[in-house]
Amino acid sequence: MTDAVQTPHVGTKFTPRVFSGIQPSGGLTLGNYLGALKRFAQKQDEGIETIYCIVDMHAITAALLDPVKLRQQTRELAAGFIASGIDPKRSILFNQSQVSAHAELAWIFNCIARMGWMNRMTQWKDKAGKHAEAASLGLFAYPALMAADILLYHATQVPVGEDQKQHVELTRDIAAKFNHDYGVDFFPITEPVIEGVATRVMSLRDGTKKMSKSDPSDQSRINLTDDADAISAKIRKAKTDPEPLPDTAEGLADRPDARNLVNIYAALADLTVEQVIADFAGKQFGVFKPALADLAVEKLRPISTEMQRLMQDPAEIDRILGEGADRADAIAQPILRKTLDIVGMIRSRRG
Ligand code: AQP
């Protein structure tokens, strides 16, 4: 056994499979939609096998949640997935805690990952901040559980926003160290898929900070459940600078608030930043913001309406999640069993 990590390579024996997850740690934001959900639906429509997980075990790592709220947010997130185009018949959609193999594999990975690797994670540093001593062990071990989520399905691709890139790289390190230490080629070296103009949607109050569902300021984000008036008001009040929009995309380089709004417009309209700039060059925000608000309302209204409809029937959402969990478990169990076998653990129980 050594600590060395082999040069990663993508194993050729792995069939393409997409896995990604979202925490039910609050309501969905425009950042989650553009950076994750919209792209999850595109992956599904490309015909690759897609597995999407509501990571409720991750959701209690930063702070324990009111149990009623956690259940409600889990169902709301499931509704958000479906309303964004995830078809639970074509994709597998489930909540993490229903497939106990996630926790079992995470334990093995806790023993593979090194403290130094975890200490370097920027999300750990950001979320634990100066209070690392008081942070939960679960928050520190978060990336090992995320590695288990991905590798339990031998996923080859993980579509994520920019903020999760480091965690996917750690997943690769864990897979490579496991393969190396046990002399196997068992886990794939998964690729993060970070594509498009909206891989990092920023706060409407501060263009240098990520839009986040747990930001204390509701004005910093657009929620998928916001109505048209709330969306328009938030965009109208979004922070900008006094300059008009530039003539070229390069002109946005040192203008994080302006760049953020242009990126959001481009992602919602399926345009490039250059195309948006061509349409609005030299225009004031008094012109651009109403256009952005109209576009956001037009694109988000069908999603929030469908979410509200789905939320009327929580039993149906639970049924969909249960069915998804059964399908996920059927893929996960043989991979977990083989992992434990490689590690040297005996599984001789019948049934
Ligand atoms: N602002 C964002 N721009 C682009 N993508 C984003 N994602 C999140 N925020 C943005 C992507 O959404 C997926 C799910 O994220 P998550 O809920 O698992 O955790 P997160 O990245 O920590 O998202 P939040 O909203 O900031 O949650 P909290 O506030 O609970 O920490 C990921 O693919 C993420 O990249």
Side-chain angles (χ1 to χ4, degrees), residues 117-195:
W117 299 0
M118 301 306 210
N119 259 324
R120 283 193 286 277
M121 294 294 110
T122 51
Q123 182 171 294
W124 158 250
K125 288 190 228 167
D126 290 347
K127 290 200 170 170
K130 296 192 190 85
H131 310 288
E133 289 290 316
S136 77
L137 191 54
L139 186 64
F140 189 67
Y142 181 115
L145 177 58
M146 181 165 156
D149 299 337
I150 296 166
L151 295 174
L152 190 55
Y153 302 97
H154 277 183
T156 55
Q157 297 177 36
V158 185
V160 278
E162 191 66 45
D163 60 315
Q164 291 294 332
K165 184 170 179 227
Q166 198 186 30
H167 286 165
V168 182
E169 282 165 358
L170 191 118
T171 297
R172 294 162 63 91
D173 289 345
I174 288 177
K177 182 163 162 53
F178 182 97
N179 288 347
H180 175 262
D181 286 358
Y182 287 105
V184 292
D185 184 17
F186 183 61
F187 286 117
I189 308 300
T190 309
E191 294 290 338
V193 183
I194 301 168
E195 294 164 340

Coordinates of all heavy atoms in Angstrom, one line a residue, residues 117-195:
W117 N -6.1 15.9 1.8 CA -6.9 16.1 0.6 C -8.1 16.9 1.0 O -8.5 17.9 0.3 CB -7.4 14.8 -0.1 CG -6.3 13.9 -0.6 CD1 -5.0 14.1 -0.6 CD2 -6.5 12.7 -1.3 NE1 -4.3 13.0 -1.1 CE2 -5.3 12.1 -1.6 CE3 -7.7 11.9 -1.6 CZ2 -5.1 10.9 -2.2 CZ3 -7.5 10.7 -2.3 CH2 -6.3 10.2 -2.6
M118 N -8.8 16.4 2.0 CA -10.0 17.1 2.5 C -9.8 18.5 3.0 O -10.6 19.4 2.7 CB -10.6 16.3 3.7 CG -10.9 14.8 3.3 SD -12.0 14.7 1.9 CE -12.9 13.2 2.2
N119 N -8.7 18.7 3.7 CA -8.3 20.0 4.2 C -8.2 21.1 3.1 O -8.3 22.2 3.4 CB -7.0 19.9 5.0 CG -7.3 19.9 6.5 OD1 -8.2 20.5 7.0 ND2 -6.5 19.1 7.2
R120 N -7.8 20.6 1.9 CA -7.6 21.5 0.8 C -8.9 21.9 0.1 O -8.9 22.8 -0.8 CB -6.6 20.9 -0.2 CG -5.2 21.0 0.2 CD -4.2 20.7 -0.9 NE -4.2 19.3 -1.2 CZ -3.5 18.4 -0.6 NH1 -2.7 18.7 0.4 NH2 -3.5 17.1 -1.0
M121 N -10.0 21.3 0.4 CA -11.2 21.6 -0.3 C -11.7 23.0 0.0 O -12.0 23.3 1.2 CB -12.3 20.6 0.1 CG -12.1 19.1 -0.4 SD -12.0 19.0 -2.2 CE -10.3 18.7 -2.4
T122 N -12.0 23.8 -1.1 CA -12.4 25.2 -0.8 C -13.8 25.2 -0.2 O -14.1 26.1 0.6 CB -12.3 26.0 -2.1 OG1 -13.0 25.3 -3.1 CG2 -10.9 26.3 -2.6
Q123 N -14.6 24.3 -0.6 CA -16.0 24.3 0.0 C -15.9 24.1 1.5 O -16.7 24.7 2.3 CB -16.9 23.3 -0.7 CG -18.3 23.4 -0.1 CD -19.3 22.5 -0.9 OE1 -19.6 22.8 -2.0 NE2 -19.8 21.5 -0.2
W124 N -15.1 23.2 1.9 CA -14.9 23.0 3.4 C -14.4 24.2 4.0 O -14.9 24.7 5.1 CB -13.9 21.8 3.6 CG -13.2 21.8 4.9 CD1 -11.9 22.0 5.2 CD2 -13.8 21.5 6.2 NE1 -11.6 21.9 6.5 CE2 -12.8 21.6 7.2 CE3 -15.1 21.1 6.6 CZ2 -13.0 21.4 8.5 CZ3 -15.3 20.9 8.0 CH2 -14.3 21.0 8.9
K125 N -13.4 24.9 3.4 CA -12.9 26.1 4.0 C -13.9 27.2 4.0 O -14.1 27.9 5.0 CB -11.7 26.6 3.2 CG -10.4 25.7 3.4 CD -9.2 26.3 2.8 CE -8.4 25.3 2.0 NZ -7.4 25.9 1.1
D126 N -14.7 27.3 2.9 CA -15.8 28.4 2.9 C -16.9 28.1 3.9 O -17.3 29.0 4.6 CB -16.4 28.4 1.5 CG -15.5 29.0 0.5 OD1 -14.4 29.5 0.9 OD2 -15.8 28.8 -0.7
K127 N -17.3 26.8 4.0 CA -18.5 26.5 4.8 C -18.1 26.4 6.3 O -18.9 26.8 7.1 CB -19.2 25.3 4.3 CG -19.9 25.5 3.0 CD -21.0 24.5 2.7 CE -21.8 25.0 1.5 NZ -22.8 24.0 1.0
A128 N -16.9 25.8 6.6 CA -16.5 25.7 8.0 C -15.9 27.0 8.5 O -16.1 27.4 9.6 CB -15.5 24.6 8.2
G129 N -15.3 27.8 7.6 CA -14.7 29.1 7.9 C -13.8 29.0 9.1 O -13.0 28.1 9.3
K130 N -14.0 30.0 10.0 CA -13.2 30.1 11.2 C -13.6 29.1 12.3 O -13.1 29.0 13.3 CB -13.2 31.5 11.7 CG -12.6 32.6 10.8 CD -12.5 33.9 11.5 CE -12.1 35.0 10.5 NZ -13.3 35.6 9.9
H131 N -14.8 28.4 12.0 CA -15.3 27.6 13.0 C -15.2 26.1 12.7 O -16.0 25.3 13.0 CB -16.8 27.9 13.2 CG -17.0 29.4 13.4 ND1 -16.7 30.1 14.5 CD2 -17.6 30.3 12.5 CE1 -17.0 31.4 14.3 NE2 -17.5 31.5 13.1
A132 N -14.0 25.7 12.2 CA -13.8 24.4 11.8 C -14.0 23.4 12.9 O -14.5 22.3 12.8 CB -12.4 24.2 11.2
E133 N -13.6 23.8 14.1 CA -13.7 22.9 15.3 C -15.1 22.6 15.6 O -15.4 21.5 16.1 CB -13.1 23.6 16.5 CG -11.6 23.8 16.5 CD -10.8 22.4 16.7 OE1 -11.3 21.7 17.6 OE2 -9.9 22.2 15.9
A134 N -16.0 23.5 15.3 CA -17.4 23.2 15.6 C -18.2 22.6 14.4 O -19.3 22.3 14.5 CB -18.1 24.6 16.0
A135 N -17.5 22.5 13.2 CA -18.2 21.9 12.1 C -18.4 20.4 12.2 O -17.6 19.8 13.0 CB -17.4 22.2 10.8
S136 N -19.4 19.9 11.6 CA -19.6 18.4 11.7 C -18.6 17.6 11.0 O -18.0 18.1 10.0 CB -21.0 18.1 11.2 OG -21.0 18.0 9.8
L137 N -18.3 16.4 11.4 CA -17.4 15.5 10.7 C -18.0 15.2 9.3 O -17.2 15.0 8.4 CB -17.4 14.2 11.6 CG -16.3 13.2 11.2 CD1 -14.9 13.8 11.2 CD2 -16.4 12.1 12.3
G138 N -19.3 15.2 9.2 CA -20.0 15.0 7.9 C -19.6 16.0 6.9 O -19.4 15.7 5.7
L139 N -19.5 17.3 7.3 CA -19.1 18.4 6.4 C -17.7 18.1 5.9 O -17.4 18.3 4.7 CB -19.2 19.7 7.1 CG -19.0 20.9 6.2 CD1 -20.1 21.0 5.1 CD2 -19.0 22.2 6.9
F140 N -16.8 17.7 6.8 CA -15.4 17.5 6.4 C -15.4 16.3 5.4 O -14.6 16.3 4.4 CB -14.6 17.1 7.7 CG -13.1 17.1 7.4 CD1 -12.4 18.2 7.0 CD2 -12.4 15.9 7.6 CE1 -11.1 18.2 6.8 CE2 -11.1 15.8 7.3 CZ -10.4 17.0 7.0
A141 N -16.2 15.3 5.7 CA -16.1 14.0 4.9 C -17.0 14.1 3.6 O -17.1 13.2 2.8 CB -16.5 12.8 5.7
Y142 N -17.7 15.2 3.5 CA -18.7 15.4 2.3 C -18.1 14.9 1.0 O -18.8 14.2 0.3 CB -19.0 16.9 2.3 CG -19.9 17.4 1.3 CD1 -21.1 18.0 1.6 CD2 -19.6 17.4 -0.1 CE1 -22.0 18.5 0.7 CE2 -20.5 17.9 -1.1 CZ -21.7 18.5 -0.7 OH -22.5 19.0 -1.6
P143 N -16.9 15.3 0.6 CA -16.4 14.9 -0.7 C -16.2 13.3 -0.8 O -16.3 12.8 -1.9 CB -15.0 15.6 -0.8 CG -15.0 16.7 0.2 CD -15.9 16.2 1.3
A144 N -16.0 12.6 0.3 CA -15.9 11.2 0.2 C -17.2 10.6 -0.1 O -17.4 9.6 -0.8 CB -15.3 10.6 1.5
L145 N -18.3 11.1 0.6 CA -19.6 10.7 0.3 C -20.0 11.0 -1.2 O -20.6 10.2 -1.9 CB -20.6 11.3 1.3 CG -22.1 11.0 1.1 CD1 -22.4 9.5 1.1 CD2 -23.0 11.7 2.1
M146 N -19.6 12.2 -1.6 CA -19.9 12.5 -3.0 C -19.2 11.5 -4.0 O -19.7 11.1 -5.0 CB -19.5 14.0 -3.3 CG -19.8 14.4 -4.7 SD -19.7 16.2 -4.8 CE -19.3 16.4 -6.6
A147 N -17.9 11.2 -3.6 CA -17.2 10.2 -4.5 C -18.0 8.9 -4.5 O -18.1 8.2 -5.6 CB -15.8 10.0 -3.9
A148 N -18.5 8.5 -3.3 CA -19.3 7.2 -3.3 C -20.5 7.3 -4.2 O -20.9 6.4 -4.9 CB -19.7 6.9 -1.8
D149 N -21.2 8.5 -4.1 CA -22.4 8.7 -4.9 C -22.1 8.4 -6.4 O -22.9 7.8 -7.1 CB -22.9 10.2 -4.8 CG -23.3 10.6 -3.4 OD1 -23.6 9.8 -2.6 OD2 -23.2 11.9 -3.2
I150 N -21.0 8.9 -6.8 CA -20.6 8.8 -8.3 C -20.1 7.4 -8.6 O -20.6 6.8 -9.6 CB -19.5 9.9 -8.6 CG1 -20.1 11.3 -8.4 CG2 -19.0 9.7 -10.0 CD1 -19.0 12.4 -8.3
L151 N -19.2 6.9 -7.8 CA -18.5 5.7 -8.2 C -19.4 4.5 -7.9 O -19.1 3.4 -8.5 CB -17.2 5.6 -7.5 CG -16.2 6.8 -7.9 CD1 -14.9 6.7 -7.0 CD2 -15.8 6.6 -9.4
L152 N -20.4 4.6 -7.1 CA -21.3 3.5 -6.8 C -22.0 3.0 -8.1 O -22.5 1.9 -8.2 CB -22.3 3.9 -5.8 CG -23.3 2.9 -5.1 CD1 -22.5 1.8 -4.5 CD2 -24.1 3.6 -4.1
Y153 N -22.1 3.9 -9.0 CA -22.7 3.6 -10.3 C -21.7 3.5 -11.5 O -22.1 3.5 -12.6 CB -23.8 4.7 -10.6 CG -24.8 4.7 -9.5 CD1 -24.7 5.7 -8.5 CD2 -25.8 3.8 -9.4 CE1 -25.6 5.7 -7.4 CE2 -26.7 3.8 -8.3 CZ -26.5 4.7 -7.3 OH -27.4 4.7 -6.2
H154 N -20.4 3.5 -11.1 CA -19.4 3.6 -12.2 C -19.7 4.7 -13.2 O -19.5 4.5 -14.4 CB -19.3 2.2 -12.8 CG -18.4 1.2 -12.1 ND1 -18.1 0.0 -12.5 CD2 -17.8 1.4 -10.9 CE1 -17.3 -0.7 -11.6 NE2 -17.1 0.2 -10.6
A155 N -20.1 5.8 -12.7 CA -20.4 6.9 -13.6 C -19.2 7.4 -14.2 O -18.1 7.6 -13.6 CB -21.1 8.1 -12.8
T156 N -19.3 7.7 -15.5 CA -18.1 8.2 -16.3 C -18.2 9.7 -16.4 O -17.1 10.3 -16.8 CB -18.1 7.5 -17.7 OG1 -19.3 7.8 -18.3 CG2 -17.8 6.1 -17.6
Q157 N -19.3 10.3 -16.3 CA -19.5 11.8 -16.5 C -20.3 12.4 -15.4 O -21.3 11.8 -15.0 CB -20.2 12.1 -17.8 CG -19.5 11.7 -19.0 CD -20.5 12.0 -20.2 OE1 -21.1 13.0 -20.3 NE2 -20.4 11.1 -21.2
V158 N -19.9 13.5 -14.9 CA -20.7 14.2 -13.8 C -20.9 15.7 -14.3 O -20.0 16.5 -14.2 CB -20.0 14.2 -12.5 CG1 -20.9 14.8 -11.4 CG2 -19.6 12.8 -12.1
P159 N -22.1 16.0 -14.8 CA -22.3 17.4 -15.1 C -22.5 18.2 -13.8 O -23.3 17.8 -13.0 CB -23.6 17.4 -15.9 CG -24.2 16.1 -15.7 CD -23.2 15.1 -15.1
V160 N -21.7 19.2 -13.7 CA -21.8 20.1 -12.4 C -21.5 21.5 -12.8 O -21.0 21.8 -13.9 CB -20.7 19.7 -11.4 CG1 -21.2 18.5 -10.6 CG2 -19.3 19.4 -12.0
G161 N -21.8 22.4 -11.8 CA -21.3 23.8 -12.0 C -19.9 23.9 -11.6 O -19.3 22.9 -11.0
E162 N -19.3 25.0 -11.9 CA -17.8 25.3 -11.6 C -17.4 25.0 -10.2 O -16.4 24.4 -9.9 CB -17.6 26.7 -12.0 CG -16.1 27.2 -12.0 CD -15.3 26.5 -13.1 OE1 -15.9 26.5 -14.3 OE2 -14.2 26.1 -12.9
D163 N -18.3 25.3 -9.2 CA -18.0 25.2 -7.8 C -17.8 23.7 -7.4 O -17.1 23.5 -6.3 CB -19.2 25.8 -6.9 CG -20.5 25.1 -7.2 OD1 -20.8 24.8 -8.3 OD2 -21.2 24.7 -6.2
Q164 N -18.3 22.7 -8.1 CA -18.1 21.3 -7.7 C -17.0 20.6 -8.4 O -16.7 19.5 -8.2 CB -19.4 20.6 -8.0 CG -20.6 21.0 -7.1 CD -20.3 20.6 -5.7 OE1 -19.6 19.7 -5.3 NE2 -20.9 21.4 -4.7
K165 N -16.2 21.4 -9.2 CA -15.1 20.8 -10.0 C -14.1 20.1 -9.1 O -13.6 19.0 -9.3 CB -14.5 21.9 -10.8 CG -13.4 21.4 -11.8 CD -12.9 22.4 -12.7 CE -11.8 21.9 -13.6 NZ -10.7 22.8 -13.7
Q166 N -13.7 20.8 -8.0 CA -12.7 20.3 -7.1 C -13.1 19.0 -6.5 O -12.3 18.1 -6.3 CB -12.4 21.3 -6.0 CG -11.1 21.1 -5.3 CD -10.9 22.1 -4.2 OE1 -11.8 22.5 -3.5 NE2 -9.6 22.3 -3.9
H167 N -14.5 18.9 -6.2 CA -14.9 17.6 -5.6 C -14.9 16.5 -6.6 O -14.6 15.3 -6.2 CB -16.4 17.8 -5.0 CG -16.4 18.6 -3.8 ND1 -17.6 19.2 -3.3 CD2 -15.5 19.0 -2.9 CE1 -17.3 19.8 -2.2 NE2 -16.1 19.7 -1.9
V168 N -15.2 16.8 -7.8 CA -15.1 15.7 -8.8 C -13.6 15.3 -9.0 O -13.3 14.1 -9.2 CB -15.8 16.1 -10.2 CG1 -15.7 14.9 -11.2 CG2 -17.2 16.5 -9.9
E169 N -12.7 16.3 -8.9 CA -11.3 15.9 -9.0 C -10.9 15.0 -7.9 O -10.1 14.1 -8.0 CB -10.4 17.2 -9.1 CG -10.5 17.8 -10.5 CD -10.0 19.2 -10.6 OE1 -9.6 19.8 -9.5 OE2 -10.0 19.8 -11.7
L170 N -11.4 15.3 -6.7 CA -11.1 14.4 -5.5 C -11.7 13.0 -5.7 O -11.1 12.0 -5.3 CB -11.7 15.1 -4.3 CG -11.1 14.4 -3.0 CD1 -10.3 15.3 -2.2 CD2 -12.2 13.8 -2.2
T171 N -12.8 13.0 -6.4 CA -13.4 11.6 -6.7 C -12.5 10.9 -7.6 O -12.3 9.7 -7.4 CB -14.8 11.9 -7.4 OG1 -15.7 12.5 -6.6 CG2 -15.4 10.5 -7.9
R172 N -11.9 11.6 -8.5 CA -10.9 10.9 -9.4 C -9.7 10.4 -8.6 O -9.2 9.3 -8.8 CB -10.4 11.9 -10.5 CG -11.5 12.3 -11.5 CD -11.1 13.6 -12.2 NE -10.0 13.4 -13.1 CZ -10.0 13.1 -14.4 NH1 -11.1 12.8 -14.9 NH2 -8.9 13.0 -15.1
D173 N -9.2 11.2 -7.7 CA -8.1 10.8 -6.8 C -8.4 9.6 -6.0 O -7.6 8.7 -5.8 CB -7.7 12.0 -5.9 CG -7.0 13.1 -6.7 OD1 -6.6 12.9 -7.8 OD2 -6.9 14.2 -6.1
I174 N -9.6 9.6 -5.5 CA -10.1 8.4 -4.6 C -10.1 7.2 -5.5 O -9.6 6.1 -5.1 CB -11.4 8.7 -3.9 CG1 -11.2 9.8 -2.8 CG2 -12.1 7.4 -3.4 CD1 -12.5 10.2 -2.1
A175 N -10.7 7.3 -6.7 CA -10.8 6.1 -7.6 C -9.4 5.6 -8.0 O -9.1 4.4 -7.9 CB -11.6 6.5 -8.9
A176 N -8.5 6.6 -8.3 CA -7.2 6.2 -8.7 C -6.4 5.5 -7.6 O -5.7 4.5 -7.8 CB -6.4 7.4 -9.2
K177 N -6.6 6.0 -6.3 CA -5.8 5.5 -5.2 C -6.4 4.1 -4.9 O -5.6 3.2 -4.5 CB -5.9 6.4 -4.0 CG -5.1 5.9 -2.8 CD -4.9 7.0 -1.8 CE -4.5 6.5 -0.4 NZ -3.4 5.6 -0.4
F178 N -7.7 3.9 -4.9 CA -8.3 2.6 -4.7 C -7.8 1.6 -5.7 O -7.3 0.5 -5.3 CB -9.9 2.7 -4.7 CG -10.6 1.4 -4.4 CD1 -11.1 1.2 -3.2 CD2 -10.7 0.4 -5.4 CE1 -11.7 0.0 -2.9 CE2 -11.3 -0.8 -5.1 CZ -11.8 -1.0 -3.8
N179 N -7.9 2.0 -7.0 CA -7.4 1.1 -8.0 C -5.9 0.7 -7.8 O -5.5 -0.4 -8.0 CB -7.6 1.7 -9.4 CG -9.0 1.8 -9.8 OD1 -9.9 1.2 -9.2 ND2 -9.3 2.6 -10.9
H180 N -5.1 1.7 -7.5 CA -3.7 1.5 -7.3 C -3.4 0.7 -6.1 O -2.7 -0.3 -6.2 CB -3.0 2.9 -7.2 CG -1.5 2.8 -6.9 ND1 -1.0 2.9 -5.6 CD2 -0.5 2.5 -7.7 CE1 0.3 2.7 -5.7 NE2 0.6 2.5 -6.9
D181 N -4.0 1.0 -5.0 CA -3.7 0.3 -3.7 C -4.1 -1.2 -3.8 O -3.4 -2.0 -3.2 CB -4.3 1.0 -2.5 CG -3.6 2.3 -2.2 OD1 -2.6 2.7 -2.8 OD2 -4.1 3.0 -1.3
Y182 N -5.2 -1.4 -4.4 CA -5.7 -2.8 -4.5 C -5.3 -3.5 -5.8 O -5.6 -4.7 -6.0 CB -7.2 -2.9 -4.3 CG -7.6 -2.6 -2.9 CD1 -8.1 -1.4 -2.5 CD2 -7.4 -3.6 -1.9 CE1 -8.5 -1.1 -1.2 CE2 -7.7 -3.3 -0.5 CZ -8.2 -2.1 -0.2 OH -8.5 -1.9 1.1
G183 N -4.5 -2.8 -6.7 CA -4.0 -3.4 -7.9 C -5.2 -3.8 -8.8 O -5.1 -4.9 -9.4
V184 N -6.2 -3.0 -8.9 CA -7.3 -3.3 -9.8 C -7.6 -2.1 -10.7 O -7.0 -1.1 -10.6 CB -8.6 -3.6 -8.9 CG1 -8.5 -4.8 -8.1 CG2 -8.9 -2.4 -8.0
D185 N -8.5 -2.4 -11.7 CA -8.9 -1.3 -12.6 C -10.5 -1.3 -12.4 O -11.2 -1.6 -13.4 CB -8.5 -1.5 -14.0 CG -8.9 -0.4 -14.9 OD1 -9.2 0.7 -14.4 OD2 -8.9 -0.6 -16.2
F186 N -10.9 -1.1 -11.2 CA -12.3 -1.3 -10.9 C -13.2 0.0 -11.0 O -14.3 -0.1 -11.5 CB -12.4 -1.9 -9.5 CG -13.9 -2.2 -9.1 CD1 -14.6 -3.1 -9.9 CD2 -14.5 -1.6 -8.1 CE1 -15.9 -3.4 -9.6 CE2 -15.8 -1.9 -7.8 CZ -16.5 -2.8 -8.5
F187 N -12.6 1.1 -10.5 CA -13.4 2.3 -10.6 C -13.0 3.2 -11.7 O -11.8 3.4 -12.0 CB -13.3 3.1 -9.3 CG -14.0 2.5 -8.1 CD1 -13.4 2.1 -7.0 CD2 -15.4 2.4 -8.2 CE1 -14.1 1.5 -5.9 CE2 -16.1 1.9 -7.1 CZ -15.5 1.4 -6.0
P188 N -14.0 3.8 -12.5 CA -13.6 4.7 -13.6 C -13.0 6.0 -13.0 O -13.3 6.4 -11.9 CB -14.9 4.9 -14.3 CG -16.0 4.7 -13.2 CD -15.4 3.7 -12.3
I189 N -12.2 6.7 -13.9 CA -11.7 8.0 -13.5 C -12.7 9.0 -14.2 O -12.6 9.3 -15.4 CB -10.3 8.2 -14.1 CG1 -9.4 7.0 -13.6 CG2 -9.8 9.5 -13.6 CD1 -9.3 6.9 -12.0
T190 N -13.7 9.4 -13.4 CA -14.8 10.1 -13.9 C -14.5 11.5 -14.4 O -13.6 12.2 -13.8 CB -15.9 10.2 -12.7 OG1 -16.1 9.0 -12.2 CG2 -17.2 10.8 -13.2
E191 N -15.1 12.0 -15.5 CA -14.9 13.3 -16.0 C -15.9 14.3 -15.5 O -17.1 14.0 -15.6 CB -15.1 13.3 -17.5 CG -14.1 12.5 -18.3 CD -12.7 13.1 -18.3 OE1 -12.6 14.3 -18.1 OE2 -11.7 12.4 -18.5
P192 N -15.5 15.4 -14.9 CA -16.5 16.5 -14.7 C -16.9 17.1 -16.0 O -16.1 17.3 -16.9 CB -15.7 17.5 -13.8 CG -14.2 17.3 -14.1 CD -14.1 15.8 -14.6
V193 N -18.2 17.4 -16.2 CA -18.6 18.0 -17.4 C -19.1 19.4 -17.0 O -20.2 19.6 -16.4 CB -19.8 17.2 -18.1 CG1 -20.2 17.9 -19.4 CG2 -19.3 15.8 -18.3
I194 N -18.3 20.4 -17.4 CA -18.6 21.8 -17.0 C -18.7 22.6 -18.3 O -17.7 23.0 -18.9 CB -17.5 22.4 -16.0 CG1 -17.5 21.5 -14.8 CG2 -17.8 23.8 -15.7 CD1 -16.3 21.7 -13.9
E195 N -19.9 22.8 -18.8 CA -20.1 23.4 -20.1 C -21.1 24.5 -20.1 O -22.0 24.6 -19.2 CB -20.7 22.3 -21.1 CG -19.9 21.1 -21.4 CD -20.7 20.0 -22.0 OE1 -21.9 20.0 -21.8 OE2 -20.1 19.1 -22.6

